[in-house]
Amino acid sequence: MEHEALFDLANPELWVLIGLALFIGLLVVLKVLPGALFGALDAHAAKIKAELDEAQQLREEAQALLADVKAQREEAERQAAGMLEAAKADAALIASEAKARLDEQITRRAEMAERKIAQAEAQAAADVKSAAVDLAAQAAEQILVARLATGASDGLVDAAIAQVGAKLQ
């Protein structure tokens, strides 16, 4: 029943279907529908292809940039390693120079201390000799004073005085 009502010429849905079929048929006959449809599809496909080509180009550029960045990083790492080795070598050189200077300074100070000790020993020996001479002179003076006070004359002293007198003339 429903089908019978669809093919009834008084049915507006039938006329809409016929109009649509005629319109599509007219578009096909005039090659508007396939041309426009295929043209739109071709344009869309071309746009997609262009986007894919651009994406491929961007990908290649990104890969080239990545390779360049990796090469730069490796070069920077090599330079850093070289700088580190140079710094270690410089530090070792500075340490050895500092050790040599320290050893030289210690040697110099030890020699200076030995010289001061030798000077002090010599000064002490001179002081001891001077004190011994002074003490001997005082002792001789005391002995002479004691002998002269007793009034006894010493033959040696008298002979020495006579010698001094003879030499002075």
Side-chain angles (χ1 to χ4, degrees), residues 21-58:
L22 286 176
F23 178 71
I24 292 176
L26 182 64
L27 289 177
V28 170
V29 169
L30 295 177
K31 296 185 180 181
V32 173
L33 182 63
L37 182 62
F38 291 140
L41 288 176
D42 287 342
H44 190 62
K47 181 181 174 186
I48 290 173
K49 183 172 180 0
E51 288 176 358
L52 287 175
D53 290 343
E54 183 181 357
Q56 180 65 26
Q57 182 183 2
L58 289 174

Side-chain angles (χ1 to χ4, degrees), residues 88-153:
K88 285 180 181 178
D90 288 347
L93 179 64
I94 289 170
S96 66
E97 288 175 355
K99 186 181 183 308
R101 282 194 305 265
L102 181 64
D103 290 344
E104 181 182 321
Q105 189 177 21
I106 289 171
T107 303
R108 246 191 346 250
R109 287 189 182 191
E111 289 172 357
M112 198 164 67
E114 288 175 3
R115 280 195 303 267
K116 284 184 179 181
I117 290 171
Q119 283 177 342
E121 286 176 350
Q123 183 64 37
D127 290 345
V128 167
K129 285 180 184 178
S130 175
V133 167
D134 288 344
L135 187 60
Q138 285 177 358
E141 181 183 353
Q142 288 174 357
I143 291 172
L144 288 177
V145 168
R147 281 189 184 173
L148 288 176
T150 59
S153 70

